[in-house]
Amino acid sequence: MKPDRIQCIYLVAGFVFLLLLAATLFDFTYWTFYEENWSVLGLGVLFVAAMVLLSYYGREHYSRDVQSASMMDPISGLPNSVLYERILSAEIERARRMARNLTLVYLDVDYFYRYNQQYGRRAGDGVLDAVGELIRKNTRSYDHGFRMGSDEFAVVYPETTKDQAKSISERVLDSFLKDYKGTLGLSMGIAEWAEGDDADILLKKATTAMNQARRRGGNRITGYVERGELIPGAKKTSV
């Protein structure tokens, strides 16, 4: 039921109750209101006031739930891109202020369109759910994973270097290939925040690295450098 309708029901019920209470306490024969009934009427007024407050806070709670739901991707179980830029900008400001490391990983599911065409949308949703679960299992309480749209994801790692993010990304890739090797892969790009980078610049670096991984055949991890070099020791598995 919509919050406006719920609020209206609360208000109408409260005022009807108050009118019935007043009608019970007031002697219309002699147009007299006995003093001993004032306390009862006062309690009735307090009851109605409570109903009004409940309707207001119920509406506020409903609005917060709707807003929170709109920022979550129901398939992967991760926040969506609506929340991404806000959190990344806050983490960049924190890294700048406290002189800490910050790394962004951007990943894409290789051959996802082909997989969807062959096995159907439900199976494709299962892949997205599996990636979301892997991200949750391989992030700390202060890391942030997002589904950015279609088959693309981003992970923000505060207080983490590019090499540390690479180690985590390798675990994600290895776990993913246990279920999907020979069918799907992950192209992953890693970019470490540098002084002067804002959210857009850092995202561009990470997506550039991810696209380099895809151009090299996919299913690998590439770190962003000016020459687009592969991180030493990065893995490549044919699909």
Side-chain angles (χ1 to χ4, degrees), residues 168-212:
I168 300 170
S169 298
E170 286 183 337
R171 291 201 302 269
V172 172
L173 179 58
D174 288 341
S175 298
F176 183 79
L177 292 179
K178 287 179 182 179
D179 294 324
Y180 297 104
K181 184 177 181 180
T183 307
L184 296 168
L186 296 177
S187 292
M188 310 177 77
I190 301 177
E192 189 169 355
W193 174 79
E195 188 65 44
D197 290 351
D198 59 15
D200 290 337
I201 293 174
L202 187 57
L203 176 61
K204 185 176 181 180
K205 287 182 176 181
T207 55
T208 296
M210 184 268 290
N211 287 326
Q212 289 167 355

Side-chain angles (χ1 to χ4, degrees), residues 4 39 45 50-51 68 77 102 128 137 150 175 182 185-186 212 216:
D4 289 339
S39 60
V45 172
M51 295 283 283
S68 177
L102 174 67
L128 300 176
K137 285 182 177 179
S150 186
S175 298
L186 296 177
Q212 289 167 355
R216 291 173 181 266

Side-chain angles (χ1 to χ4, degrees), residues 3 6-7 10-11 47-62:
I6 295 174
Q7 190 174 31
Y10 269 119
L11 293 175
F47 174 79
V48 173
M51 295 283 283
V52 172
L53 288 174
L54 281 173
S55 69
Y56 173 77
Y57 285 112
R59 178 185 176 86
E60 289 297 306
H61 182 73
Y62 178 89

Side-chain angles (χ1 to χ4, degrees), residues 122-160:
R122 180 172 296 181
D125 288 349
V127 173
L128 300 176
D129 177 63
V131 174
E133 182 65 19
L134 284 174
I135 290 174
R136 285 192 295 274
K137 285 182 177 179
N138 289 278
T139 50
R140 302 156 297 187
S141 60
Y142 51 88
D143 298 328
H144 312 280
F146 306 89
R147 183 185 175 196
M148 301 297 286
S150 186
D151 57 336
E152 297 183 355
F153 297 80
V155 188
V156 178
Y157 291 106
E159 302 185 20
T160 304

Side-chain angles (χ1 to χ4, degrees), residues 7-68:
Q7 190 174 31
C8 184
I9 291 173
Y10 269 119
L11 293 175
V12 170
F15 283 112
V16 167
F17 171 80
L18 189 59
L19 288 173
L20 290 175
L21 183 63
T24 302
L25 298 176
F26 192 83
D27 187 347
F28 288 97
T29 305
Y30 300 101
W31 292 92
T32 304
F33 185 82
Y34 299 104
E35 291 184 2
E36 59 268 24
N37 291 332
W38 278 111
S39 60
V40 179
L41 184 59
L43 290 174
V45 172
L46 289 176
F47 174 79
V48 173
M51 295 283 283
V52 172
L53 288 174
L54 281 173
S55 69
Y56 173 77
Y57 285 112
R59 178 185 176 86
E60 289 297 306
H61 182 73
Y62 178 89
S63 298
R64 285 195 298 269
D65 286 347
V66 169
Q67 185 178 20
S68 177

